[in-house]
Amino acid sequence: MNILDDLKMQYKMGGFEQKVIYWNCGVFLLSILFFYRFRLGFFEFPTWIALSSNAMEVVYTPWTFLTYFFFHAGFFHLLFNMIVLNFAGRIFLTFFNQKQFIGLYLLSGIFSGLIFILFYAVLTVGKSSSIVGASGAIMAILVATATYSPFMNLRLLLIGNVKLWQFTFVILLLDLIQIFTENTGGHIAHLSGALFGFIYIKLLVSGIDLSKGVTFIFDKLATLSQPKKATPFKKVHRNYNTKPSEKVSKIVTKDKTQQQIDEILDKISKSGYDSLTKEEKEFLFKAGK
């Protein structure tokens, strides 16, 4: 088996966290071809992919609420996000199902985008920015898991045993420290995703699953995409030589005969063959021929 076949097998057999990693990596490879400026050494994403902080621009490109968190601004940006996604996703799926995972991933990404736009509209009037990256959605997965099982033990390389809430707290603290130093929009998205993950779990525990709306749409699309089963063609043979009255009498006779056979068989099952009368035995013998 070559590498390509191995990747295909892992994609088919893996959970949704692995599928999402494959999607992000695939999109990243495509973005290198179309949006990487090799002379300048950075990505230049158009406004119909990156999420703009300008609400008026987003009105004309609402799909960017989804596209922005499948693109990344560099290899290390992608690498760090996918490592955390693989780590947090596996833990999340030990407690919850795959539909809840993909629902939380998509909803938290959209929520992070909305808070990003709101932040720039209220606190940074006159300034504009744009973001790409799955960090907000990934933080939601991590915080949701830590909220549900905060005292889960982790064994980290070079560090040793830590609690899940401690690991998550350090990640959030780093975002808070850097929020006004660099990549402000990105850190706002991270913290917004974390907030959504916390709210999601609290509602889920109380019986409200926010991901049901997303999974309902997925199920409907899957149903629509499946080909409808064709009604099997039934060929009807007609015997135009037989008169209607003859057909009716034959059917009635057959039904009466079958009914009598059923009664005899029922009697045998209850009392045995020896319980039949001579006439019943003769009738059954003739019917058997």
Side-chain angles (χ1 to χ4, degrees):
M1 182 181 291
N2 56 37
I3 295 176
L4 185 59
D5 291 334
D6 187 42
L7 291 174
K8 288 180 180 178
M9 181 62 69
Q10 288 184 24
Y11 180 83
K12 289 180 180 179
M13 301 300 292
F16 256 118
E17 86 287 355
Q18 287 189 327
K19 287 180 172 58
V20 172
I21 290 172
Y22 273 77
W23 297 345
N24 277 280
C25 292
V27 169
F28 180 76
L29 293 175
L30 287 175
S31 65
I32 293 175
L33 296 176
F34 295 103
F35 307 121
Y36 190 73
R37 300 293 174 252
F38 289 93
R39 291 184 179 179
L40 301 175
F42 60 83
F43 283 94
E44 189 175 346
F45 292 105
T47 54
W48 51 270
I49 284 181
L51 181 66
S52 173
S53 62
N54 188 330
M56 293 307 298
E57 288 185 14
V58 178
V59 169
Y60 296 103
T61 57
W63 58 85
T64 54
F65 276 113
L66 287 174
T67 56
Y68 89 91
F69 58 88
F70 284 97
F71 288 82
H72 289 81
F75 173 75
F76 290 104
H77 184 203
L78 172 74
L79 179 64
F80 178 77
N81 276 351
M82 294 306 102
I83 290 173
V84 178
L85 176 59
N86 183 61
F87 164 78
R90 286 177 181 273
I91 302 175
F92 181 89
L93 289 171
T94 61
F95 301 109
F96 308 103
N97 61 48
Q98 299 197 35
K99 288 184 177 181
Q100 289 169 324
F101 174 85
I102 195 66
L104 175 57
Y105 184 84
L106 294 175
L107 288 174
S108 58
I110 295 170
F111 180 81
S112 298
L114 286 170
I115 299 301
F116 164 72
I117 293 172
L118 184 63
F119 174 83
Y120 270 85
V122 175
L123 298 178
T124 58
V125 180
K127 294 183 180 181
S128 63
S129 181
S130 62
I131 56 169
V132 292
S135 304
I138 294 168
M139 285 298 295
I141 300 292
L142 178 62
V143 171
T145 311
T147 302
Y148 186 78
S149 182
F151 299 105
M152 183 177 184
N153 283 315
L154 303 176
R155 186 169 182 82
L156 302 180
L157 186 66
L158 304 178
I159 297 176
N161 293 326
V162 296
K163 303 296 183 184
L164 180 56
W165 76 264
Q166 294 171 328
F167 174 81
T168 305
F169 176 76
V170 171
I171 300 294
L172 290 173
L173 185 62
L174 291 174
D175 272 313
L176 283 170
I177 292 172
Q178 301 176 71
I179 192 169
F180 291 113
T181 56
E182 58 178 6
N183 189 24
T184 299
H187 294 299
I188 291 296
H190 300 178
L191 296 171
S192 302
L195 174 63
F196 188 88
F198 176 79
I199 294 172
Y200 174 82
I201 288 299
K202 289 299 182 182
L203 290 175
L204 186 62
V205 171
S206 66
I208 302 172
D209 188 352
L210 295 178
S211 65
K212 278 189 175 180
V214 175
T215 54
F216 175 78
I217 295 172
F218 269 84
D219 290 339
K220 283 295 182 183
L221 291 174
T223 303
L224 292 173
S225 63
Q226 293 176 354
K228 294 183 178 180
K229 293 182 179 179
T231 304
F233 176 73
K234 295 182 179 179
K235 189 173 183 179
V236 179
H237 295 278
R238 280 187 168 183
N239 186 355
Y240 293 97
N241 297 323
T242 306
K243 295 179 181 180
S245 59
E246 292 177 354
K247 288 193 290 184
V248 172
S249 63
K250 286 182 179 180
I251 292 170
V252 172
T253 304
K254 185 178 179 181
D255 289 343
K256 286 183 178 179
T257 303
Q258 185 62 49
Q259 184 178 357
Q260 193 170 352
I261 292 171
D262 291 340
E263 290 175 355
I264 293 172
L265 292 175
D266 185 56
K267 187 176 180 180
I268 293 172
S269 66
K270 290 180 179 178
S271 306
Y273 181 78
D274 293 335
S275 65
L276 299 182
T277 63
K278 183 179 178 182
E279 291 77 12
E280 288 173 336
K281 290 179 180 179
E282 289 178 358
F283 177 81
L284 193 61
F285 177 75
K286 291 178 182 179
K289 289 185 176 181

